[in-house]
Amino acid sequence: MTDTDGNHEMAEPLSALWFQRPEPLERPAVVTGVFDVLHVGHVRFLRSIAERGLPLVVGIESDERVRAWKGPGRPVNPDAERAETIAALACVNGSFIIEGPPPVADWAAYADLLRPLAPAALAFTAGDRYTQAKIRGADALDAQAWELPFTPGRSTTAALGRLAHSL
C-alpha cells in the first residue's frame, strides 16, 4: 500500500478472491501482505491481532503483484497455497487473494477493496514503510489503525537468506 494519491479510478480496481470466507463476517480486523514463507514473525503478528478479540481476515497479495514488486524469484509459494496456509492458522478466520494490476497499490485502492468488509481495524507491523498510507486507509474506512511489534530478525527475506547460506 503506497502513500500516493494516484488516480486509481482510471485503473482496474483491486479485487478479492476468497479462499476461506467466514460467515457471518462481522467487522473484522484485516491485515494484507505477501506472507510468502511463513515464519514465527508472521505467527506472532497474526496471533497478537487475534488476541485483541476481533475476527481476523488476511489478504494475500497475488503472485503477479508480488513478482512485480519483489522480482522474478518471488513469491516462493503460489498465492493459493499462501492463502491456504494462512487460513489454516487457528488465529485466522478467513483469507483472500488480492488481485489487480501491480501498479495499483495506493491507500485509496485498498480502502475500496476492503470497504465491503467494514473492517473495525487495519493491522500492520511497526516500521512498515507504508504506515502512513495504512493509517489513511483506516481513517477512510472508519477503522482503527493497529501498529503491532515487528519480530526482529524474522522476515521472509531473512529466512530466505538463512536458507540460501545453509544449502
Side-chain angles (χ1 to χ4, degrees), residues 46-104:
L46 295 171
R47 191 178 321 138
S48 68
I49 297 166
E51 287 171 351
R52 292 176 172 227
L54 295 176
L56 173 57
V57 175
V58 180
I60 308 292
E61 297 289 351
S62 73
D63 292 347
E64 175 189 16
R65 294 171 63 76
V66 174
R67 197 169 297 109
W69 298 340
K70 296 187 178 273
R74 299 281 302 275
V76 173
N77 294 299
D79 49 22
E81 290 180 14
R82 291 182 282 128
E84 180 178 355
T85 301
I86 290 294
L89 297 174
C91 61
V92 174
N93 298 89
S95 67
F96 61 92
I97 298 168
I98 301 169
E99 298 183 321
V104 179

Side-chain angles (χ1 to χ4, degrees), residues 4 13 26 41-44 57 66 73 76-77 80 90 95 97 117 122 131-132 146-147 151 156 158 162:
T4 63
E26 298 180 19
H42 289 135
V43 173
R44 289 174 184 168
V57 175
V66 174
V76 173
N77 294 299
S95 67
I97 298 168
L117 301 178
L122 298 183
T131 294
Q132 291 308 311
W146 290 351
E147 184 174 22
T151 302
T156 299
R162 285 190 304 274

Side-chain angles (χ1 to χ4, degrees), residues 122-148:
L122 298 183
F124 51 93
T125 54
D128 185 316
R129 66 178 166 221
Y130 302 119
T131 294
Q132 291 308 311
K134 291 179 180 186
I135 291 170
R136 289 179 75 185
D139 287 347
L141 293 165
D142 195 28
Q144 295 177 22
W146 290 351
E147 184 174 22
L148 295 133

Side-chain angles (χ1 to χ4, degrees), residues 2-3 19 52 106 150:
T2 64
D3 201 19
F19 175 80
R52 292 176 172 227
D106 61 279
F150 172 77

Side-chain angles (χ1 to χ4, degrees), residues 8-24:
H8 70 281
E9 294 161 15
M10 299 291 286
E12 182 181 330
L14 298 177
S15 62
L17 175 62
W18 283 94
F19 175 80
Q20 178 178 311
R21 184 183 177 110
E23 296 294 341

